[in-house]
Amino acid sequence: MKVLQFPLARITIGFVLGLLVAYYVQLPVQVVFSILILTFIVFGLLFYFGKNKNSIYFGVATYLLSFIIGISNQIVHTDFFQKSNYIHDSTIFEKPHFINLTIREKLKNSSYSDRYIAVINRVDKKDQTGKILLNIPKDSASHELEIGTSLLIKGILTKNKPPNNPNQFDYSRYLENKQIYAQLYADISEIKTGSKIQKNVWHYSSKLRARILQNLEKNNFNKTELNVALALILGQRQEISADIIRDYQYAGAVHILSVSGLHIGFILLFVTFLLKPIPNTRRGSFIKLIIILLSLSSFAIIAGLAPSVVRSVTMFSFVALGSHLRRSVNIYHTLLVSILLILLVEPSFLFDVGFQLSYVAVFFIIWLQPLLTTLWNPKTKFSKYAWDILTVSFAAQIGTLPLSIYYFHQFPGLFFITNLLIIPMLSIIMALGVVVMILAAFNIIPIFLSQLLEWSIYYLNKTINTIASFEQFIIQDIPLHFYVLISSYLLLFTMIIWFKKPAFNKLVMVLISIIIFQISYFKIYWNTTTEQELIIFNTKRNSLIAERKAGDITVYAKDSILKTAHKSSVLKSYCIGNLSSIKHKEELQNYIYFNGKKIFVLDSSGVSPKNNNPDILLLTQSSKINLDRLLITMKPKIVIADASNFKNIQRNWKASCEKHKIPFHATAEKGFYKLN
């Protein structure tokens, strides 16, 4: 594979591996930086005194240095390792403090609250740092807080909690990847707003977006189309309805709602077109370059510096620079340099799903698409244009397929039709949208232009909705384990390498990859089919239990819950994660027997038979009982309280269990309970 022959490719791989090691393994900081200094000294000696820069020793030193730099860079950019970070102050999670913070970013609202990312400045009178997630109840907030606003809040920070149920999306890990380790819940009455606004790049970016939005609303721009326009052109998806996002997902077009290389490419072409009158002299070419770089950078700031935007702007900036220098730009080098620069500044982007999908898509487009184009040679311009769109779509979809299934567990079967129809529409919308947004920023937007953009997006949404309506082509709930993900990419790479230039040794690698893929799949399948477990889920105001034997699941719950069990997101995630399906549904009774253990379920009746000595006592529906007396008579090995109980009752039960030295597990506090 030629791309791996580039020294920069191996340096980048070493650097990324270093980031991964530092992310998953907690290494001593002093040891890491001692090794970094030592490696740098060895590299310097070999560089200045070594006679052959192509020697194996210099190569090993170079790649080892890039690996250690990756580890140290991850540590430097991780807020957890900063001594001033609030995470090291345990009292901030135990009792109220006066917390001074600054609003950094507005997030999509939840059903009950407005949500912001805020940066802590001080706790009481002590300077501290770190980002938190601020939640303000909707019914208490009179207006949206301005970016850069300073707030003083008396409250207790809440640490991020792991998922309450198995195989669910780990929102805690997602926040930690963004350096957010805690949340703060505060009513507007508890908040004192500062008189000064911190006027930084985030503030001015937000103000400019607000002005654009306000001017478009003055032109009676339809709310639905306006929200999609802000996503397509500015990368702001906060206000898009769940129905619109679902349609784009089902049609295989959700990627266009996140500003990426496709959007930045359109913008670069548009700006280049506008600059055509400037002569291609040395001075004129330099002026063009500066204007293009400023335009792309300004767009990235306005779009909120999202990972996909930063990646695309960085890559196309190098394309513009190469064009200015009159050099043939090697797209692989451009891709690698952009990865290095972005991850040097913000290594957490590596763990962003959008960032991963963007780079994988671009790589497969430039690597696989030329191979696909050789399969057919169109004779007309229209067929060539359509074939180019299809091959680009197939290359991107093939490359991102394993990753998409791993994260989202679904595959839109009509993605090729979607891309064939929407890419021509998107090119018009992007050109028109950029003009409209620029004019809106200067308060001079003509009504006919905003209406034209509104109608374009309306028909785009209609097209997407029509394609998404063919739900029989949407494959959902596809399980994919991490080992299968890695082995599927190994198989994909070896097959493409073999197709590009068939040879016997490459065919052997394909066959070995097939064997590795099969071993990975059957290992997961064997583990699943030989396992038995019972899960007591954490579901609000309800009791839900699942018993899994191999791939068959028996669900225990109330009859009303059983009727909708197949729609339960909790059970769906559990089934996908364990390659299983619901085979039986049973009404929850007082006794459940599992692997020789007796579980007694105490419901709201509070009735328990005499001479009942269960291994596990499950408390449900806020039973009105004297738990102290019950523990003396029953003597269970553990007491479990699910989320159907009131919290104040659970606190009393916990105290009783501590008095009798019996373990107590509240699912609302500790999450689901698993019995093997």
Side-chain angles (χ1 to χ4, degrees):
M1 190 175 177
K2 289 184 179 180
V3 67
L4 292 179
Q5 295 174 3
F6 300 147
L8 185 60
R10 285 172 277 183
I11 290 172
T12 304
I13 290 172
F15 178 77
V16 171
L17 287 175
L19 295 179
L20 292 171
V21 168
Y23 180 79
Y24 289 106
V25 182
Q26 293 289 336
L27 299 171
V29 177
Q30 294 83 356
V31 173
V32 169
F33 285 99
S34 298
I35 296 174
L36 175 65
I37 294 170
L38 180 62
T39 309
F40 191 79
I41 291 171
V42 172
F43 173 82
L45 291 173
L46 289 172
F47 180 81
Y48 284 105
F49 299 107
K51 295 180 180 179
N52 184 9
K53 297 295 186 298
N54 295 320
S55 69
I56 188 172
Y57 301 109
F58 183 75
V60 170
T62 302
Y63 303 136
L64 180 61
L65 180 61
S66 66
F67 176 73
I68 301 300
I69 289 175
I71 295 176
S72 57
N73 189 63
Q74 178 68 30
I75 291 173
V76 167
H77 285 89
T78 301
D79 289 352
F80 179 85
F81 293 102
Q82 308 300 322
K83 291 182 179 180
S84 61
N85 192 272
Y86 63 83
I87 195 69
H88 303 297
D89 183 0
S90 59
T91 63
I92 203 171
F93 303 103
E94 298 169 357
K95 59 183 181 180
H97 291 267
F98 285 100
I99 303 171
N100 180 280
L101 51 83
T102 303
I103 300 296
R104 166 65 63 82
E105 182 182 348
K106 177 73 172 71
L107 300 178
K108 187 178 180 68
N109 296 336
S110 68
S111 303
Y112 307 103
S113 60
D114 295 327
R115 301 160 66 241
Y116 302 87
I117 292 177
V119 179
I120 288 180
N121 303 315
R122 287 185 304 279
V123 177
D124 294 329
K125 295 182 179 180
K126 182 181 178 182
D127 289 341
Q128 290 197 340
T129 61
K131 292 191 290 186
I132 63 167
L133 188 62
L134 175 63
N135 300 270
I136 303 174
K138 280 184 177 179
D139 56 354
S140 66
S142 57
H143 62 275
E144 191 174 293
L145 294 172
E146 189 177 351
I147 304 302
T149 303
S150 295
L151 304 175
L152 182 64
I153 303 173
K154 186 178 182 180
I156 303 174
L157 291 187
T158 303
K159 282 187 179 181
N160 299 330
K161 287 185 177 181
N164 284 324
N165 292 298
N167 307 109
Q168 283 191 324
F169 173 66
D170 193 342
Y171 190 59
S172 171
R173 176 57 66 89
Y174 171 80
L175 290 177
E176 287 181 8
N177 288 341
K178 295 181 177 294
Q179 312 291 329
I180 300 171
Y181 303 109
Q183 300 190 45
L184 177 60
Y185 297 85
D187 193 272
I188 199 70
S189 60
E190 302 170 339
I191 299 174
K192 292 183 179 180
T193 305
S195 57
K196 291 184 178 180
I197 300 291
Q198 189 179 88
K199 296 183 178 180
N200 52 22
V201 64
W202 308 100
H203 170 77
Y204 289 113
S205 171
S206 174
K207 291 285 283 186
L208 184 56
R209 288 197 301 269
R211 180 191 294 180
I212 291 171
L213 177 61
Q214 185 179 13
N215 288 326
L216 288 172
E217 287 177 338
K218 284 181 182 178
N219 280 12
N220 298 317
F221 208 108
N222 184 277
K223 190 68 174 176
T224 301
E225 281 72 42
L226 178 57
N227 291 334
V228 174
L230 292 175
L232 288 172
I233 300 155
L234 298 182
Q236 302 298 309
R237 294 176 51 175
Q238 291 92 329
E239 302 301 324
I240 298 183
S241 69
D243 292 338
I244 294 288
I245 291 179
R246 187 186 64 245
D247 284 348
Y248 276 77
Q249 287 175 337
Y250 285 1
V254 72
H255 60 280
I256 72 170
L257 294 178
S258 298
V259 176
S260 60
L262 182 65
H263 305 71
I264 305 300
F266 282 136
I267 291 172
L268 178 61
L269 290 173
F270 181 68
V271 175
T272 304
F273 173 76
L274 294 178
L275 297 176
K276 269 192 174 182
I278 299 176
N280 284 324
T281 60
R282 178 176 295 183
R283 185 177 179 181
S285 180
F286 181 73
I287 292 172
K288 283 184 179 181
L289 174 66
I290 296 301
I291 293 174
I292 287 172
L293 294 180
L294 287 175
S295 300
L296 295 180
S297 301
S298 301
F299 180 83
I301 293 170
I302 295 171
L305 296 174
S308 58
V309 179
V310 173
R311 186 271 304 171
S312 304
V313 167
T314 304
M315 187 174 69
F316 279 101
S317 295
F318 278 103
V319 171
L321 184 61
S323 177
H324 167 71
L325 296 174
R326 305 289 197 277
R327 293 181 180 177
S328 172
V329 180
N330 187 305
I331 192 65
Y332 290 114
H333 281 159
T334 303
L335 211 62
L336 292 167
V337 170
S338 67
I339 290 175
L340 270 177
L341 285 178
I342 292 169
L343 295 182
L344 273 169
V345 176
E346 192 57 74
S348 63
F349 279 4
L350 179 63
F351 309 101
D352 182 90
V353 178
F355 183 85
Q356 295 171 13
L357 289 171
S358 294
Y359 266 108
V360 170
V362 171
F363 174 77
F364 273 87
I365 287 171
I366 61 179
W367 186 47
L368 179 59
Q369 196 256 351
L371 176 63
L372 297 178
T373 55
T374 61
L375 299 177
W376 181 46
N377 186 22
K379 302 300 181 184
T380 65
K381 286 186 177 180
F382 176 78
S383 58
K384 187 178 187 308
Y385 176 74
W387 180 239
D388 285 342
I389 292 176
L390 282 175
T391 52
V392 167
S393 300
F394 273 108
Q397 197 68 47
I398 289 170
T400 59
L401 181 61
L403 206 57
S404 297
I405 293 176
Y406 177 72
Y407 284 120
F408 307 116
H409 307 293
Q410 67 179 24
F411 173 69
L414 297 179
F415 73 91
F416 56 95
I417 293 178
T418 302
N419 285 284
L420 193 60
L421 293 175
I422 68 169
I423 286 180
M425 296 175 67
L426 189 62
S427 60
I428 297 170
I429 290 171
M430 285 299 299
L432 183 60
V434 169
V435 172
V436 169
M437 296 296 172
I438 292 172
L439 294 175
F442 290 99
N443 302 323
I444 53 173
I445 174 173
I447 293 178
F448 80 92
L449 278 181
S450 66
Q451 286 183 341
L452 187 58
L453 178 61
E454 180 185 337
W455 294 337
S456 301
I457 295 174
Y458 172 80
Y459 286 110
L460 174 66
N461 288 345
K462 275 291 184 184
T463 304
I464 294 294
N465 179 260
T466 302
I467 297 172
S469 65
F470 295 95
E471 295 190 15
Q472 62 269 32
F473 292 98
I474 303 164
I475 306 171
Q476 295 180 301
D477 304 335
I478 309 171
L480 188 67
H481 195 275
F482 180 74
Y483 296 138
V484 180
L485 170 71
I486 299 301
S487 59
S488 63
Y489 269 115
L490 177 63
L491 176 59
L492 187 59
F493 271 84
T494 54
M495 287 182 66
I496 294 172
I497 291 170
W498 179 66
F499 274 119
K500 276 180 171 285
K501 195 173 182 180
F504 177 75
N505 59 335
K506 295 177 182 177
L507 180 60
V508 171
M509 291 303 298
V510 172
L511 296 175
I512 293 173
S513 300
I514 293 173
I515 293 171
I516 293 173
F517 179 83
Q518 290 175 328
I519 291 172
S520 301
Y521 177 80
F522 284 115
K523 182 181 184 300
I524 302 302
Y525 181 78
W526 174 258
N527 290 342
T528 303
T529 55
T530 55
E531 286 178 346
Q532 292 187 23
E533 63 183 18
L534 184 135
I535 303 291
I536 300 173
F537 293 98
N538 180 67
T539 54
K540 286 185 177 180
R541 296 184 293 276
N542 289 300
S543 298
L544 181 62
I545 301 173
E547 180 184 355
R548 181 171 67 86
K549 293 183 178 179
D552 297 339
I553 294 175
T554 302
V555 178
Y556 301 93
K558 287 183 179 180
D559 187 56
S560 58
I561 303 298
L562 294 177
K563 288 178 181 178
T564 58
H566 64 286
K567 295 181 180 179
S568 169
S569 59
V570 171
L571 288 173
K572 187 178 290 188
S573 298
Y574 181 67
C575 291
I576 293 172
N578 293 280
L579 307 178
S580 307
S581 59
I582 299 173
K583 296 295 183 182
H584 306 285
K585 301 176 184 178
E586 296 185 13
E587 184 83 21
L588 183 61
Q589 303 295 328
N590 290 115
Y591 287 98
I592 298 176
Y593 295 90
F594 178 79
N595 278 0
K597 290 184 172 62
K598 182 166 66 172
I599 304 168
F600 180 69
V601 181
L602 187 63
D603 55 26
S604 58
S605 66
V607 177
S608 60
K610 294 181 179 180
N611 301 320
N612 179 22
N613 299 107
D615 297 287
I616 298 172
L617 173 61
L618 175 59
L619 303 174
T620 67
Q621 303 172 14
S622 301
S623 306
K624 295 180 180 179
I625 53 168
N626 186 326
L627 186 59
D628 289 288
R629 189 178 355 178
L630 202 62
L631 293 177
I632 293 171
T633 56
M634 283 192 174
K635 298 179 180 178
K637 295 178 181 176
I638 185 172
V639 176
I640 302 171
D642 67 16
S644 66
N645 302 288
F646 296 125
K647 289 186 177 180
N648 58 339
I649 294 178
Q650 292 185 53
R651 284 193 289 267
N652 296 333
W653 288 343
K654 183 177 182 180
S656 296
C657 289
E658 287 176 349
K659 184 169 67 175
H660 292 274
K661 297 182 180 180
I662 295 176
F664 179 77
H665 183 104
T667 61
E669 179 185 350
K670 299 180 180 179
F672 68 95
Y673 181 82
K674 181 166 74 171
L675 184 64
N676 294 110

